[in-house]
C-alpha cells in the first residue's frame, strides 16, 4: 500500500488468532492474513491469545487488584494499531469464552480501545460453514463497543484440508477472495484514518444528521 498520500507511514494492524491451541487452524489463517497485510504494505503485529493470559472477569477482582497484566498488554497492542483482525474459531455456534473474556476485561480500560477502531473478522473450521456463525456472534460485543466491523467476513470451511504446505490456500479462488478482501479492508482503514480532510460520521438511523464528528458509543 502506498505511504505517500499525506499520512505518517504505513498502517498498523494487529492480527491474532483467538484459539489457545498451538496448532490451531485459526492460527494458520491468522498467519496467512498477516502475510497478505504485509504484502499490501502495512505493518503487522501478529499475536496469539496465549500472550494475553487473564482470569475470568470478576468485578471484585477488578476493584481490589485492578486489570490483569494480560488485559493491559492486549489494550496496549490495540492502542498502537489502526485496525485489527481476529481469526476466531466457532464454539457451539458462538464466540470462544477466552475471546469474550478478553474483550470484557479490555473494555474496562477507560477510554476503552475498541471504539472507532476498524476490525476484520475471519474464521477457519472443519465444518462446512467455516465458523461463520461464531463470527456473527462476535460482531455483537465489538459493535456495541463502537468497533467498525468490516461487512465482508471470511470463513474457511473444511479447513484441515484447505492449506498448502507453504501456508497458502489450496483453492486458488478462495486465496484470491481472501487477498482481495484484505486489500479492500486496508483501503477502507486508510481512507478513514489517514485522510484528515474527511469528517467521520456514523449514521445509526435513516435521517440522522448529527453534527458530532463521531457519534458517542457505549464505553461502560
Amino acid at each position: 500500500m502506498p505511504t505517500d498520500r499525506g499520512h505518517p507511514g504505513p498502517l498498523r494492524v494487529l492480527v491474532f488468532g483467538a484459539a489457545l491451541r498451538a496448532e490451531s487452524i485459526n492460527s494458520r489463517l491468522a498467519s496467512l492474513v498477516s502475510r497478505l497485510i504485509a504484502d499490501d504494505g502495512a505493518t503487522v503485529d501478529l499475536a496469539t491469545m496465549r500472550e494475553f493470559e487473564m482470569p475470568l472477569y470478576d468485578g471484585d477482582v477488578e476493584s481490589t487488584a485492578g486489570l490483569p497484566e494480560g488485559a493491559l498488554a492486549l489494550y496496549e497492542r490495540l492502542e498502537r494499531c489502526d485496525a485489527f483482525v481476529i481469526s476466531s474459531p466457532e464454539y457451539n455456534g458462538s464466540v470462544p469464552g477466552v475471546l469474550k473474556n478478553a474483550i470484557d476485561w479490555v473494555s474496562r480500560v477507560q477510554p476503552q480501545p475498541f471504539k472507532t477502531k476498524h476490525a476484520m473478522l475471519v474464521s477457519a473450521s472443519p465444518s462446512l460453514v467455516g465458523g461463520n456463525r461464531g463470527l456473527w456472534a462476535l460482531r455483537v460485543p465489538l459493535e456495541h463497543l463502537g468497533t467498525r466491523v468490516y461487512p465482508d467476513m471470511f470463513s474457511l470451511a473444511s479447513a484441515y484440508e484447505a492449506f498448502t504446505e507453504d501456508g497458502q490456500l489450496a483453492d486458488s479462488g478462495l486465496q484470491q477472495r481472501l487477498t482481495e478482501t484484505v486489500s479492500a479492508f486496508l483501503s477502507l482503514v486508510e481512507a478513514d484514518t489517514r485522510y484528515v480532510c474527511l469528517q467521520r460520521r456514523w449514521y445509526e438511523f435513516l435521517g440522522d444528521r448529527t453534527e458530532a464528528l463521531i457519534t458517542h458509543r457505549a464505553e461502560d
Side-chain angles (χ1 to χ4, degrees), residues 30 33 52 54 110 127 130 143 166 169 179 198 203 205 212:
V33 170
F52 310 115
M54 60 193 84
Q110 297 298 317
S127 75
E143 291 182 333
D166 62 354
L169 297 183
T179 301
L198 298 178
Y203 298 129
F205 304 99

Side-chain angles (χ1 to χ4, degrees), residues 12-104:
R12 299 159 297 178
V13 183
L14 173 65
V15 181
F16 63 97
L20 292 175
R21 191 166 59 87
E23 300 300 320
S24 166
I25 49 180
N26 278 280
S27 294
R28 298 186 69 182
L29 182 57
S31 295
L32 174 55
V33 170
S34 295
R35 292 195 297 274
L36 295 176
I37 291 173
D39 289 344
D40 216 283
T43 298
V44 182
D45 180 9
L46 179 60
T48 67
M49 285 302 298
R50 285 191 177 275
E51 298 177 54
F52 310 115
E53 185 176 350
M54 60 193 84
L56 293 177
Y57 178 76
D58 184 331
D60 290 338
V61 172
E62 180 187 5
S63 62
T64 57
L67 272 68
E69 291 184 4
L72 293 174
L74 179 53
Y75 163 77
E76 291 171 358
R77 302 275 280 272
L78 284 166
E79 277 292 279
R80 292 199 295 265
C81 75
D82 297 303
F84 61 94
V85 178
I86 300 177
S87 181
S88 176
E90 175 186 303
Y91 287 3
N92 298 316
S94 189
V95 183
V98 65
L99 175 58
K100 180 58 166 61
N101 186 58
I103 293 172
D104 291 342

Side-chain angles (χ1 to χ4, degrees), residues 28-29 32 35-36 154 156-179:
R28 298 186 69 182
L29 182 57
L32 174 55
R35 292 195 297 274
L36 295 176
F154 180 86
L156 181 64
S158 304
Y160 285 129
E161 297 83 34
F163 291 94
T164 62
E165 290 186 1
D166 62 354
Q168 303 294 306
L169 297 183
D171 186 318
S172 60
L174 285 177
Q175 179 72 30
Q176 180 178 357
R177 183 195 156 201
L178 179 59
T179 301

